[in-house]
Amino acid sequence: MNILYIGNNSSHSTSYHRAMALKRLGHRVDLIDPETLLRSSLMHKLHFRTGYKLLQHQVANFLKQQINAVNPDLIWVNGGELLGKKSLHVLKTLRAPIVLYNNDDPTGTRDGRRFDSLRKALPYYDLCIVRLEKDEGELLHYGARQVLRVYMSYDEEAHKPFDRPSEIPVQFTSDVAFIGTWMRHEKRDEFLLKLIRAGIPVSIWGARWPKSPHWNALKAHYRGAALSGRDYVAAIQGAKICIGMLSQGNRDLHTRRSVETTYTGGLLCAKRTTIHLDMYTENQEAVFWDDADECIDVCKRLLADNEQRENIRKAGYNKVRALKVGNEDICTAILKQLNF
């Protein structure tokens, strides 16, 4: 099948991983990236805050130029925040079903006007794919025709664990790791600081942490900027425990880290939610907490018990594969929903 794939073409992006999964499934994938129109971080911030409204004419023209020589059986839009009604009208001329895959919270309020253009374009998609915790009624309210809710996914190739722990570079080994971005209103810094003050040996990787008001207390535990590729895999697999945090503003009940951690061979230690409890048997395949105090108790217990920690890690590794939430699995389910 010929698939016209519209999404981020960066080799470390989740969008690119998903496109490669479709290729591995045997499909021809023509990948075009409208984000190339955002030539600077300042331009990106401007359009993010205005819902990409000022960019709509450029995006539509960009798509017209890119689709001249393609004849797809399916059009796959990953993310979709740059594409408004004009862009969808352009894609409709190809007379192929159009699917939107969005892992964020396009009907939420955390990101202000970011998804304004996307929401106006929802009626023009044949199928909208959203995270499991999203209420399909919210998308139907904006005119979505059909909604499919799925788990977040790992990538079978990009997140493949190292064959032997000895292959993991020593700079990516740790006792308790948190890999993620500092966010102004999420209080991740306060949470980790409480763990540190309780004696938990926390290592932090991620973007924007020097912006935290608690940076002076955290910087001794900071191991570096955002990770990608094999470094990302190494930091998860090289940790005894991996802390998984959610975004309240994004209404998360699970994230990509919920499945990437266990697939990579790490032990998931995350906030207790209905979806996490549906995915994993608590204290057998993953461990959960309601607050920092409980997380501290869980970490102390597991760091002191190598056998239990290893049993949980192995069980989580097996369970996430049984869940069939890899990119290839999810892509197959989506194509089946579209009768391909």
Side-chain angles (χ1 to χ4, degrees), residues 114-248:
R114 174 185 179 186
F115 295 110
D116 281 5
S117 296
L118 179 149
R119 286 194 290 265
K120 292 176 182 177
L122 285 175
Y124 300 94
Y125 289 98
D126 296 281
L127 176 65
C128 296
I129 313 299
V130 294
R131 287 185 294 163
L132 196 64
E133 56 258 54
K134 299 309 167 193
D135 181 357
E136 64 182 85
E138 293 183 14
L139 281 91
L140 295 173
H141 171 76
Y142 285 99
R145 298 164 59 186
Q146 185 182 5
V147 178
L148 177 65
R149 297 159 65 238
V150 300
Y151 281 117
M152 298 288 272
S153 57
Y154 58 81
D155 188 77
E156 293 85 348
E157 291 297 321
H159 301 125
K160 185 179 292 185
F162 289 86
D163 291 332
R164 293 180 296 276
S166 60
E167 297 175 354
I168 300 171
V170 66
Q171 66 265 34
F172 295 114
T173 60
S174 65
D175 286 324
V176 179
F178 175 70
I179 305 167
T181 303
W182 174 80
M183 296 182 179
R184 186 177 301 279
H185 301 295
E186 297 289 348
K187 298 185 178 180
R188 294 177 171 183
D189 46 5
E190 295 180 17
F191 184 98
L192 294 177
L193 188 57
K194 194 164 188 176
L195 266 61
I196 290 166
R197 287 173 173 166
I200 303 299
V202 177
S203 295
I204 303 169
W205 284 272
R208 302 177 64 200
W209 282 93
K211 293 180 179 291
S212 166
H214 301 288
W215 172 243
N216 286 337
L218 293 170
K219 62 182 177 182
H221 298 265
Y222 185 65
R223 300 279 292 274
L227 297 172
S228 60
R230 299 308 288 166
D231 291 350
Y232 173 72
V233 172
I236 293 176
Q237 194 178 356
K240 294 177 181 178
I241 300 171
C242 293
I243 302 293
M245 293 195 195
L246 308 175
S247 168
Q248 293 181 351

Side-chain angles (χ1 to χ4, degrees), residues 35-48:
E35 289 192 27
T36 57
L37 297 171
L38 301 172
R39 296 184 179 89
S40 69
S41 59
L42 182 62
M43 183 181 291
H44 187 278
K45 289 178 181 178
L46 168 66
H47 291 298
F48 182 102

Side-chain angles (χ1 to χ4, degrees), residues 22 25 44 54 86 129 162 188 195 219 250 316 326 329 338:
L22 288 166
L25 291 171
H44 187 278
L54 304 176
K86 286 183 179 180
I129 313 299
F162 289 86
R188 294 177 171 183
L195 266 61
K219 62 182 177 182
N250 215 36
D329 299 310
L338 291 163

